[in-house]
Amino acid sequence: MRARETDEEPAEDEEEPDAVVVGAGGGLVEQARAKAAAAGVAPRLLHGDATRLDEVDAPGPFDLFFDLSCLCGIPPHRRDAYAGGLTRRAAPGALLLMFGYGPGAFDDPDAGVGSEEIATRFSGWELIDTTPGTNPFPTFWFTLRRV
């Protein structure tokens, strides 16, 4: 299996990857490629906008999602698109593990998310845990399960 940054279908003799990574700008895909190579794994690497998952080849269904400060950096008017894209790709019972900056963590009033917003935006998911982070500013770990 090989890592690729494309939306081509895998060849018939090629296994589906165990992970799909979607990243945009800032060298995220390149960083993921280097880390994957160092770990000896071959995720499928896609360059795209997390609020436009229908435009990249990441159909799912997936059992696990990991969001490291993605949602909290998305402008509020695009957050429903992000939540909807994940929801459409989630298998029943899938888990979403999310780290986010809380409201008030930055001078930008639109940055950050809290439990209420998570529960509202991710309909079809159950917010099963919210754990405060250990940072000197408001951060949280959220765990959601697809119902």
Side-chain angles (χ1 to χ4, degrees):
M1 181 168 50
R2 62 186 168 87
R4 61 190 179 276
E5 185 179 347
T6 179
D7 59 0
E8 296 174 7
E9 290 295 316
E12 283 189 36
D13 63 340
E14 185 177 0
E15 294 179 38
E16 277 294 317
D18 292 329
V20 175
V21 178
V22 177
L28 294 175
V29 171
E30 292 77 18
Q31 289 175 15
R33 181 176 288 117
K35 288 181 179 183
V41 296
R44 186 160 181 222
L45 303 173
L46 302 171
H47 185 267
D49 182 340
T51 67
R52 293 185 167 103
L53 290 176
D54 294 334
E55 297 174 11
V56 298
D57 186 26
F62 299 105
D63 298 316
L64 178 66
F65 298 86
F66 182 68
D67 173 335
L68 185 62
S69 302
C70 184
L71 177 67
C72 64
I74 294 173
H77 71 279
R78 296 294 303 148
R79 290 179 181 178
D80 285 338
Y82 173 73
L86 293 186
T87 300
R88 286 188 296 279
R89 285 156 180 81
L95 290 178
L96 168 55
L97 308 176
M98 180 185 301
F99 175 82
Y101 296 96
F106 301 105
D107 291 335
D108 180 354
D110 290 334
V113 294
S115 295
E116 186 175 309
E117 180 179 356
I118 298 290
T120 300
R121 290 198 190 273
F122 285 87
S123 60
W125 295 78
E126 177 187 8
L127 178 60
I128 57 176
D129 185 58
T130 302
T131 301
T134 58
N135 305 73
F137 40 84
T139 57
F140 298 94
W141 287 96
F142 304 102
T143 305
L144 296 93
R145 180 180 298 119
R146 181 76 166 105
V147 292

